[in-house]
Amino acid sequence: NAGVTQTPKFRILKIGQSMTLQCTQDMNHNYMYWYRQDPGMGLKLIYYSVGAGITDKGEVPNGYNVSRSTTEDFPLRLELAAPSQTSVYFCASSQGGTPEETQYFGPGTRLLVL
Amino acid sequence: GDSVTQMEGPVTLSEEAFLTINCTYTATGYPSLFWYVQYPGEGLQLLLKATKADDKGSNKGFEATYRKETTSFHLEKGSVQVSDSAVYFCALSAHNTDKLIFGTGTRLQVFP
């Protein structure tokens, strides 16, 4: 049971380039989330999904897009990379989306935009 | 809006010392409260949680009690080990939502 996996682990982008951060979970969870973690800050929610075909914006969605075509996968797309998007990105999943639910996190993708 | 405030780090301790990391929150209703831990180079993992007032969450020797009267969820451990060195995040999910709101994290460094 791998849990939540993310690729790549690290990437350097030039300003204006695009890329997709991959996230896969094998726990059959309905809910999936993308967060970013800036230095010295807590995690901020970018987008989330309550099931295949359903996505919604979180606190900081600008500059990102997501899709959820399957239960397992929840890719995050950066269309025009900007230095402000330099961050560590974490994907997470949970079973039921209730307030007391535990979220399970992937190991993160470190992104540097130059 | 809802928020979580944690004490700033780093917290530096010798092995076997007592640990307290303060966490207070602001929320409407009755949130669920969590402590997540992030070991170097890894993602976050749940350490413990409490879902109602006066509940005590515990795991791996760590404890935290949900104090509604002081809106606090302080993390404690009686005797820390070098392997406890990590960043600790306090978080809440507000009533009727699964969205987590995180504090800024507190780095703990334990030396032999």
Side-chain angles (χ1 to χ4, degrees):
Chain A
N1 211 357
V4 180
T5 57
Q6 292 182 238
T7 56
K9 283 189 171 60
F10 176 67
R11 182 80 182 266
I12 300 174
L13 281 184
K14 294 182 180 177
I15 293 172
Q17 286 185 321
S18 61
M19 77 165 292
T20 299
L21 283 66
Q22 301 292 345
C23 174
T24 300
Q25 53 94 6
D26 64 359
M27 297 174 281
N28 203 32
H29 284 169
N30 291 317
Y31 287 68
M32 295 187 75
Y33 313 82
W34 273 107
Y35 295 89
R36 58 178 287 171
Q37 181 185 24
D38 297 326
M41 305 291 288
L43 280 69
K44 302 287 187 185
L45 183 64
I46 305 171
Y47 269 96
Y48 66 99
S49 168
V50 303
I54 307 169
T55 62
D56 209 345
K57 296 178 181 179
E59 188 181 354
V60 289
N62 291 344
Y64 307 94
N65 277 300
V66 293
S67 60
R68 182 101 182 268
S69 56
T70 66
T71 299
E72 295 79 18
D73 300 307
F74 190 40
L76 177 72
R77 179 88 178 157
L78 282 71
E79 290 294 350
L80 290 169
S84 60
Q85 293 177 304
T86 293
S87 190
V88 181
Y89 292 84
F90 289 101
C91 180
S93 72
S94 69
Q95 177 57 44
T98 57
E100 60 270 19
E101 201 75 36
T102 298
Q103 292 187 17
Y104 296 85
F105 286 78
T109 294
R110 186 175 298 273
L111 177 65
L112 179 59
V113 182
L114 298 174
Chain B
D2 297 343
S3 65
V4 175
T5 303
Q6 284 182 243
M7 62 187 289
E8 288 197 20
V11 173
T12 304
L13 294 173
S14 297
E15 210 165 20
E16 299 183 4
F18 184 85
L19 168 71
T20 300
I21 300 178
N22 290 337
C23 171
T24 56
Y25 67 90
T26 301
T28 54
Y30 303 96
S32 294
L33 300 173
F34 305 81
W35 278 101
Y36 280 83
V37 58
Q38 183 180 26
Y39 297 104
E42 298 182 12
L44 282 71
Q45 55 187 272
L46 179 69
L47 180 60
L48 54 84
K49 66 181 179 183
T51 59
K52 60 182 187 295
D54 300 324
D55 267 3
K56 178 186 282 188
S58 61
N59 186 27
K60 300 182 181 179
F62 291 89
E63 291 182 342
T65 301
Y66 189 141
R67 302 279 188 208
K68 186 173 181 296
E69 63 277 12
T70 54
T71 62
S72 65
F73 193 54
H74 304 322
L75 182 68
E76 295 182 337
K77 186 175 186 183
S79 176
V80 293
Q81 305 300 312
V82 172
S83 57
D84 293 327
S85 298
V87 181
Y88 293 81
F89 291 93
C90 186
L92 69 82
S93 61
H95 185 60
N96 286 336
T97 176
D98 59 304
K99 309 297 178 296
L100 284 175
I101 295 170
F102 286 88
T104 54
T106 302
R107 181 174 299 277
L108 170 65
Q109 297 173 322
V110 181
F111 293 96

